[in-house]
Amino acid sequence: MTLSIASKKTRIALFLSGLLSEPLVGFIAILPFILRKELHASGFQIALFNMVKPAVALLSFYWGASLWRQQEKLRANWMGASLLAHLPFLLFPFVPQIGFFILGTALFHFFKRGGIPAQMEILRRNVPHGVRETIFSWSSALNCLFGACIGVALLPWAHSNTESWKMLFFWGGFVGLLSLILQARVPVDTSDLSVEQKPNPLLTPWKDSWNLLKARPDFARFQVGFMLGGIGLMLIMPALVLYSADDLQVTHFDVILSRFVWMGLGFVLTTPLWRRNMTFQGIFKLTSVANLLFSAAALAWILASYHGVMFYIAYILYGVAQAGSHLSWNLSGPLFAGKEQSSLFSTVNILTVGLRGLIVPWVSTLLCSTIGTIPVLGLGLFFCLVGSLYLIMQKKSMSMVSN
């Protein structure tokens, strides 16, 4: 099969798989607010919910890390992750327990994260450099636009029928499973790959990741800057749920409008602009600007206590920042890898998310109970700003070295 046919099928699978998963991604994003408003979830449960997405990355790290030594399982890895990510949501209407909702969300994030290295390596192998960044950015933008359309369709429901929210997750999971049909049709040529067994399945992925960071100090510096911004976001998100539900008293309508529509518009409209800087040399600057915009979003959320319109402006800024952060996080593996296998680079991204996710959400919730939500939002703003400054300094130092 020619590369052009493989490229076409890969692009179709990437586009449509993302679209089919987007409803569930959006529903999960507003789930902590629903749990707080509808089921009176505690601060501990909100912290646990916000922890599972980054923390399970430490486990999904192993799912993705196996590809570094077992590249022949690329498609099976991607399809298996998609299947197991969506299945639990078919049970949501029948097991009405907060703990099960959190568990289902944890499994979704575990398998979605775990499948990313396989997805990115298939993209690297089947789609030429330059084209793949364009395809991925447009796919991300269209996914978010589709999510915005879903949000608009849900606005009447938010006013009149909030009791049926569990069925949203059922249908989101069912639609997401349809992506398996597309993924099964993607050709992956593994004839040039040899099977290598891992000598120690528990420790080897950590050693491989550490050796990569030592061998590639540029990638290590990128990880530090992204980590600082990530810590800031993980401080902000649990505090934002409590702040929105308890202090601002926002409604389901406000949350759906903000998350799906305003954030979606910010994401979609600016994705082409982010794509122009999505190069190996530009990724430090791009990620720095994304962190700066996360800081601006945190400031707008703080100011929402004085004027409600700032709540919506914050989500627009957050959407713009997420567009850049999403591209840099997902495409940094293929960009830094060049012509090498990219799965280990992508796996290191997952590892660092998991490390901060084990600690920061709990710290955020503890601080909210002691000093209040607004100071925690301010602390998150500070970390995002520091991450931005660090990355722009690395960009300048790289420029000086290249000159």
Side-chain angles (χ1 to χ4, degrees):
M1 182 174 291
T2 65
L3 179 61
S4 61
I5 297 176
S7 176
K8 181 179 179 180
K9 290 190 174 183
T10 302
R11 285 179 282 172
I12 291 173
L14 179 67
F15 267 113
L16 296 183
S17 293
L19 287 176
L20 292 171
S21 293
E22 185 61 29
L24 190 55
V25 171
F27 298 154
I28 290 174
I30 64 173
L31 182 55
F33 178 81
I34 292 175
L35 296 181
R36 182 71 172 181
K37 295 286 282 190
E38 299 293 328
L39 300 181
H40 309 290
S42 66
F44 171 83
Q45 289 169 325
I46 296 299
L48 183 61
F49 183 95
N50 281 278
M51 184 202 75
V52 296
K53 179 177 181 179
V56 296
L58 278 180
L59 299 176
S60 59
F61 163 68
Y62 286 100
W63 181 280
S66 63
L67 290 175
W68 181 241
R69 296 173 182 271
Q70 296 177 325
Q71 290 281 301
E72 78 285 353
K73 296 182 178 180
L74 281 170
R75 186 170 53 200
N77 185 295
W78 187 19
M79 292 181 62
S82 295
L83 172 67
L84 296 173
H86 293 94
L87 272 179
F89 295 91
L90 302 184
L91 299 176
F92 262 41
F94 313 108
V95 189
Q97 301 293 329
I98 293 177
F100 182 75
F101 300 146
I102 295 174
L103 175 62
T105 301
L107 291 173
F108 178 82
H109 290 308
F110 172 85
F111 289 110
K112 289 294 284 186
R113 294 276 194 192
I116 286 175
Q119 181 183 356
M120 290 298 102
E121 178 61 15
I122 291 172
L123 185 68
R124 186 192 71 83
R125 295 177 67 85
N126 289 353
V127 182
H129 173 63
V131 177
R132 81 173 72 109
E133 288 80 14
T134 300
I135 290 299
F136 187 85
S137 61
W138 277 109
S139 174
S140 300
L142 288 176
N143 292 347
C144 201
L145 180 60
F146 183 52
C149 294
I150 293 173
V152 172
L154 287 177
L155 290 178
W157 166 86
H159 273 311
S160 61
N161 193 24
T162 58
E163 294 297 324
S164 62
W165 60 269
K166 300 181 189 69
M167 289 303 299
L168 295 177
F169 289 89
F170 173 87
W171 288 112
F174 177 79
V175 171
L177 287 173
L178 299 178
S179 63
L180 293 171
I181 300 173
L182 301 162
Q183 294 164 11
R185 295 173 56 84
V186 175
V188 182
D189 182 9
T190 58
S191 59
D192 60 329
L193 301 173
S194 59
V195 180
E196 181 180 351
Q197 297 297 324
K198 295 183 292 183
N200 188 321
L202 183 63
L203 297 179
T204 298
W206 291 83
K207 292 179 179 178
D208 287 341
S209 300
W210 178 248
N211 289 335
L212 175 64
L213 292 173
K214 289 195 299 182
R216 292 293 301 272
D218 54 344
F219 186 59
R221 291 195 294 269
F222 170 78
Q223 289 297 330
V224 171
F226 209 98
M227 174 70 81
L228 290 168
I231 289 173
L233 274 183
M234 288 185 187
L235 286 168
I236 290 169
M237 288 299 109
L240 181 61
V241 174
L242 302 177
Y243 177 65
S244 300
D246 300 344
D247 299 339
L248 298 182
Q249 293 290 311
V250 300
T251 64
H252 291 79
F253 180 90
D254 295 322
V255 171
I256 291 174
L257 182 66
S258 300
R259 169 57 180 79
F260 284 93
V261 179
W262 297 125
M263 174 188 162
L265 286 176
F267 191 106
V268 171
L269 294 178
T270 59
T271 292
L273 300 177
W274 289 112
R275 164 63 189 94
R276 295 175 186 175
N277 290 301
M278 184 48 62
T279 62
F280 176 69
Q281 290 296 326
I283 194 170
F284 283 89
K285 179 181 177 181
L286 182 150
T287 311
S288 173
V289 174
N291 281 346
L292 183 63
L293 288 168
F294 282 131
S295 299
L299 178 60
W301 273 314
I302 293 171
L303 295 176
S305 60
Y306 300 99
H307 200 297
V309 73
M310 297 303 296
F311 187 76
Y312 301 125
I313 292 175
Y315 269 97
I316 295 174
L317 292 169
Y318 181 70
V320 175
Q322 275 289 4
S325 179
H326 178 74
L327 291 182
S328 66
W329 192 85
N330 282 279
L331 293 176
S332 59
L335 282 174
F336 278 96
K339 296 182 178 180
E340 303 174 23
Q341 294 179 13
S342 66
S343 56
L344 185 58
F345 289 84
S346 298
T347 300
V348 171
N349 285 340
I350 295 173
L351 172 63
T352 55
V353 168
L355 289 174
R356 61 180 177 262
L358 281 177
I359 302 171
V360 182
W362 297 111
V363 173
S364 175
T365 302
L366 177 62
L367 291 175
C368 285
S369 64
T370 55
I371 64 176
T373 54
I374 290 181
V376 176
L377 291 174
L379 185 61
L381 184 160
F382 172 77
F383 270 93
C384 289
L385 187 60
V386 171
S388 177
L389 294 174
Y390 175 85
L391 284 166
I392 202 65
M393 289 173 62
Q394 303 312 307
K395 168 66 176 175
K396 291 180 178 179
S397 65
M398 288 182 64
S399 299
M400 291 175 63
V401 171
S402 62
N403 290 336

